[in-house]
Amino acid sequence: MKNIVMIVGASVLVAFAYNFLLIPHEILSGGLSGIAILLGIVTPINTGILNLLLNLPLLILGVMKLGKRFISYTILSVVVLSVSLYIIPVHKATQDPILASLFGGVLVGLGVGLIFRASGSSGGFDIVAMLLSRKRDFPLGMLISVMNGGVVAISGFVFSWDAALLTLVSIYATGKVVDTVHTSHLKLTLMIITSKGEEMKEQLLANLYRGVTIMDAQGAYSGEGRKVLMTVITRYQLAEVRHIIEKADKTAFVNILQTTEVIGMFDRSAK
């Protein structure tokens, strides 16, 4: 229930940022939402309807390829965001486009970051990134940058290059806030120390598309035996993995490290 409330509230916050700050100044956001905003401005169709239609194919693909928990929360976020965009009126909260771009990006980043922390996503490029994160060492950061760069370029050609630069500011602010609320690292190494090694291993292997290495350890003070489980994940799996660990052993000690590069088999299910 906590995650559902967080996702609903964060999705409404994102819709508010779109309709009160970005859309009135013809400033786009990143991802499919940015394309929905663009089409909503140049056509008579409401942005909320367009956002739902653009995300629908990816949501269907996600249902088939991704975990039920993640995709269920993502569907909830996309539906709430689309309905909120339809209901909330478009209103120019500020006359200054720079302020609108900056604070719009900050609010969108806060909303998206909270959705990530609640084990979901706002749809669009996030689903693409989640699907590609199952491939071995795929350059997600570069891919997302290229896709968002395409949105900026489209903004420049359709509206003006001033609008494109403001869109770039908005996307940059969004990314920085998401990194602050969630995590800035694309790959993470988890060191999990637990007395319930077998249960932890079964939960991770059953729910996580990653390999796991197990090592024996001993508590220096207690002298009791422990298991150390090591795995490498992507930022899009962090919230899901936190839930898995808590379910298996609430007292587990977890150390999360930034991973610069992975050499070798990164995905145990890769063909």
Side-chain angles (χ1 to χ4, degrees):
M1 184 58 67
K2 177 184 176 182
N3 286 342
I4 291 174
V5 171
M6 185 182 296
I7 288 172
V8 170
S11 300
V12 173
L13 177 64
V14 173
F16 173 84
Y18 286 165
N19 282 1
F20 273 66
L21 294 167
L22 301 185
I23 292 177
H25 292 279
E26 297 182 342
I27 300 170
L28 307 184
S29 180
L32 282 185
S33 296
I35 298 174
I37 292 173
L38 169 66
L39 294 176
I41 293 173
V42 300
T43 69
I45 305 175
N46 184 271
T47 304
I49 296 175
L50 290 166
N51 186 68
L52 184 61
L53 291 176
L54 288 174
N55 276 284
L56 194 57
L58 289 176
L59 292 175
I60 294 173
L61 184 62
V63 169
M64 296 185 293
K65 298 290 186 179
L66 300 177
K68 293 181 180 179
R69 177 185 177 86
F70 172 82
I71 198 62
S72 296
Y73 285 164
T74 299
I75 291 172
L76 174 64
S77 174
V78 170
V79 170
V80 172
L81 174 58
S82 300
V83 172
S84 299
L85 286 170
Y86 187 84
I87 295 175
I88 297 174
V90 176
H91 175 73
K92 188 176 287 188
T94 175
Q95 300 299 319
D96 190 330
I98 297 178
L99 288 177
S101 174
L102 181 60
F103 284 98
V106 168
L107 290 180
V108 172
L110 177 60
V112 172
L114 290 174
I115 293 170
F116 272 144
R117 287 188 69 88
S119 305
S121 82
S122 57
F125 291 172
D126 295 337
I127 299 178
V128 175
M130 187 69 179
L131 289 169
L132 291 175
S133 71
R134 298 189 172 192
K135 302 297 181 182
R136 283 178 288 179
D137 205 19
F138 200 93
L140 294 179
M142 182 182 299
L143 175 70
I144 294 171
S145 297
V146 169
M147 291 190 292
N148 283 333
V151 173
V152 173
I154 292 171
S155 174
F157 284 111
V158 174
F159 300 124
S160 68
W161 291 107
D162 285 344
L165 292 174
L166 291 170
T167 295
L168 187 60
V169 170
S170 173
I171 293 174
Y172 180 80
T174 295
K176 285 298 180 181
V177 176
V178 169
D179 289 347
T180 301
V181 175
H182 187 53
T183 177
S184 61
H185 309 309
L186 284 175
K187 292 187 181 69
L188 305 167
T189 295
L190 271 63
M191 301 286 291
I192 308 167
I193 302 175
T194 175
S195 59
K196 300 180 180 179
E198 192 63 27
E199 294 92 326
M200 186 71 69
K201 181 192 74 173
E202 291 177 359
Q203 287 290 331
L204 290 172
L205 293 179
N207 298 283
L208 187 64
Y209 288 84
R210 293 286 176 254
V212 180
T213 298
I214 304 178
M215 297 169 281
D216 292 320
Q218 184 181 48
Y221 180 77
S222 65
E224 296 178 357
R226 296 284 190 273
K227 291 292 184 182
V228 179
L229 291 83
M230 184 182 74
T231 186
V232 179
I233 64 172
T234 70
R235 65 185 293 175
Y236 300 97
Q237 297 172 302
L238 181 57
E240 180 185 2
V241 172
R242 281 174 173 159
H243 175 74
I244 293 171
I245 293 172
E246 184 178 354
K247 182 178 179 181
D249 182 8
K250 291 184 178 181
T251 63
F253 179 85
V254 185
N255 188 22
I256 303 175
L257 306 170
Q258 176 186 359
T259 300
T260 304
E261 184 179 359
V262 176
I263 299 173
M265 184 65 75
F266 180 46
D267 185 350
R268 66 178 174 85
S269 65
K271 299 293 188 287

